[in-house]
């Protein structure tokens, strides 16, 4: 028994439905794939990385760099003040070079003023040791540039006499490209100013 021929219009209608379903499925699949790729890209942009001693990049846990900004800002300021003010006749050149990588021309201006005033010459001439004892910073992270205020306590060892000083410095932090190992936090000190310096009396 011969099967009756299907109506040509029914066949074309079925083919049309199949084509529409395949097209819609492919479109939805493309949109979903695009959203997934975009989300992965966003996470990668916000990821933190560490650089090994051989220069290789080690991915850390995918966390927002914003969460670590306060820690990095405080660490950056700690490092700068220790380099800039923790100097003696054996390390002052290397420490000052490291400190200058962490700030812009305003830091360089303070350095040049100190040099013109003979600060570093006196350290060399009298073999003075300037040691940082404590660094406390406050940073406003609500908007960039991030304003900061730092209180640095340091002592100057003159051999038989040790004097202690407290200095207040202010400025701003801006984000820059990380530079390993010269500027690992990717922050730069701008508008740097030594607002006050006073001698701390020894407590009985």
């Amino acid at each position: 028994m011969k099967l009756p021929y299907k109506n040509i219009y029914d066949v074309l209608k079925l083919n049309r439905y199949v084509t529409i379903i395949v097209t819609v499925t492919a479109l939805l699949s493309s949109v979903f794939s695009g959203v997934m790729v975009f989300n992965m890209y966003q996470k990668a942009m916000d990821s933190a990385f560490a650089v090994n001693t051989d220069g290789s990049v080690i991915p850390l846990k995918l966390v927002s760099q914003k969460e670590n900004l306060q820690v990095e800002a405080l660490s950056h300021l700690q490092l700068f003040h220790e380099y800039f003010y923790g100097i003696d006749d054996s390390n002052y050149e290397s420490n000052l070079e490291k400190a200058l990588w962490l700030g812009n021309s305003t830091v360089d201006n303070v350095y040049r003023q100190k040099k013109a005033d003979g600060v570093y010459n006196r350290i060399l001439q009298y073999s003075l040791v300037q040691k940082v004892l404590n660094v406390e910073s406050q940073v406003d992270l609500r908007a960039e540039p991030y304003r900061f205020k730092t209180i640095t306590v340091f002592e100057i060892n003159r051999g038989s006499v040790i004097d202690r000083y407290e200095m207040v410095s202010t400025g701003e932090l801006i984000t820059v490209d990380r530079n390993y190992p010269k500027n690992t936090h990717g922050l730069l000190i701008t508008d740097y100013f030594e607002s006050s310096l006073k001698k701390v009396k020894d407590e009985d």
Side-chain angles (χ1 to χ4, degrees):
M1 180 177 179
K2 293 183 179 181
L3 294 175
Y5 290 106
K6 292 185 178 179
N7 189 310
I8 186 65
Y9 294 107
D10 292 338
V11 174
L12 291 176
K13 186 181 295 185
L14 178 61
N15 289 340
R16 180 185 176 190
Y17 288 147
V18 171
T19 302
I20 291 175
I21 292 172
V22 171
T23 302
V24 171
T25 302
L27 181 61
L28 292 176
S29 177
S30 299
V31 171
F32 178 76
S33 299
V35 171
M36 292 297 294
V37 170
F38 178 77
N39 288 337
M40 291 176 64
Y41 172 78
Q42 288 295 104
K43 289 182 179 179
M45 291 299 293
D46 290 337
S47 297
F49 299 89
V51 176
N52 202 357
T53 53
D54 60 359
S56 60
V57 177
I58 305 173
L60 302 177
K61 182 181 179 181
L62 295 178
V63 294
S64 172
Q65 290 185 356
K66 191 71 175 179
E67 296 175 358
N68 297 328
L69 180 57
Q70 182 177 13
V71 175
E72 294 210 63
L74 294 176
S75 180
H76 187 85
L77 293 171
Q78 176 88 20
L79 201 61
F80 167 77
H81 286 84
E82 287 181 350
Y83 282 146
F84 201 63
Y85 299 101
I87 53 179
D88 56 42
D89 59 350
S90 66
N91 68 9
Y92 87 98
E93 287 185 334
S94 61
N95 277 13
L96 290 175
E97 181 182 358
K98 293 174 183 177
L100 292 175
W101 273 97
L102 306 180
N104 71 349
S105 59
T106 58
V107 172
D108 185 64
N109 291 339
V110 174
Y111 158 72
R112 291 180 183 275
Q113 184 61 50
K114 289 179 177 292
K115 187 175 182 180
D117 292 341
V119 172
Y120 306 121
N121 284 337
R122 287 193 293 274
I123 288 176
L124 292 175
Q125 184 177 357
Y126 299 107
S127 297
L128 304 181
V129 177
Q130 188 167 290
K131 180 180 179 181
V132 174
L133 302 177
N134 189 48
V135 177
E136 291 187 6
S137 299
Q138 295 177 344
V139 187
D140 185 355
L141 299 176
R142 288 176 293 182
E144 189 176 353
Y146 311 113
R147 292 290 303 172
F148 72 83
K149 175 182 177 182
T150 300
I151 299 176
T152 304
V153 178
F154 62 91
E155 66 180 20
I156 299 179
N157 189 328
R158 295 180 171 87
S160 59
V161 178
I162 298 178
D163 294 324
R164 185 172 296 185
Y165 297 87
E166 179 183 279
M167 188 196 64
V168 178
S169 57
T170 59
E172 296 179 342
L173 289 172
I174 60 174
T175 55
V176 294
D177 291 337
R178 296 176 188 267
N179 184 324
Y180 298 92
K182 296 177 179 178
N183 188 337
T184 57
H185 296 111
L187 296 169
L188 194 71
I189 295 172
T190 65
D191 196 26
Y192 187 68
F193 181 67
E194 295 179 345
S195 57
S196 68
L197 176 66
K198 67 178 181 180
K199 188 174 181 180
V200 179
K201 295 182 179 179
D202 294 332
E203 297 180 358
D204 296 333

